[in-house]
Amino acid sequence: LYTWKEASTVCPKKFRLPTKQEWNGLPGGAEALMSRRNWSLVDGGTGGSDAYGFSVLPGGYYAAGDTAKKVEKGYYGLAESAYFWTATAISADSAYSQIFSPTASIWPGYSSKKDAYSVRCVYDETVAQ
């Protein structure tokens, strides 16, 4: 799990974080991208079909904490959801993320750059690293 700043530096040479638009353009929605196993199936949810071998696992996220929003720091959503960073910033303090849940489709989230999420990198031969 990485903060947004860390996430922007962890992809190997010729790879980068996907944009919000690239995440939204993935085929089949959340169910087709999610692993068939290892999800805590609450509220009648199901695992995914993993139709493309993408195998999203429910790693949850780490919240840095925010006293104004009454969010304590710690791990959340383990075995229940997956949060991935996008390269798309919203402001100096926030960026879009993609969230997977067994009861909902993939959707963009509005996230604090201080929180720690998972990373998937995409190949891009134009990236100079």
Side-chain angles (χ1 to χ4, degrees), residues 19-27 98 106-108:
T19 65
K20 176 186 170 200
Q21 292 76 20
E22 288 170 325
W23 270 107
N24 289 338
L26 290 173
Q98 290 299 314
I106 187 172
W107 71 90

Side-chain angles (χ1 to χ4, degrees), residues 3-128:
T3 64
W4 192 77
K5 183 177 179 180
E6 293 167 340
S8 65
T9 66
V10 298
C11 291
K13 207 173 224 179
K14 301 286 186 183
F15 284 79
R16 61 172 173 74
L17 286 179
T19 65
K20 176 186 170 200
Q21 292 76 20
E22 288 170 325
W23 270 107
N24 289 338
L26 290 173
E31 193 271 337
L33 302 173
M34 291 167 55
S35 154
R36 291 183 178 116
R37 301 173 202 212
N38 300 318
W39 290 86
S40 174
L41 303 177
V42 294
D43 299 329
T46 62
S49 69
D50 200 16
Y52 302 99
F54 199 73
S55 303
V56 170
L57 293 169
Y61 71 99
Y62 180 80
D66 186 335
T67 53
K69 294 180 182 176
K70 298 182 182 176
V71 175
E72 292 191 34
K73 65 168 125 175
Y75 292 95
Y76 294 90
L78 296 173
E80 296 175 0
S81 55
Y83 294 72
F84 289 88
W85 282 120
T86 76
T88 308
I90 298 169
S91 69
D93 299 323
S94 60
Y96 283 105
S97 58
Q98 290 299 314
I99 304 166
F100 292 82
S101 163
T103 58
S105 297
I106 187 172
W107 71 90
Y110 182 88
S111 303
S112 168
K113 289 180 178 179
K114 294 178 183 176
D115 292 342
Y117 293 174
S118 296
V119 170
R120 285 286 180 119
C121 301
V122 295
Y123 180 75
D124 185 344
E125 63 185 27
T126 66
V127 173

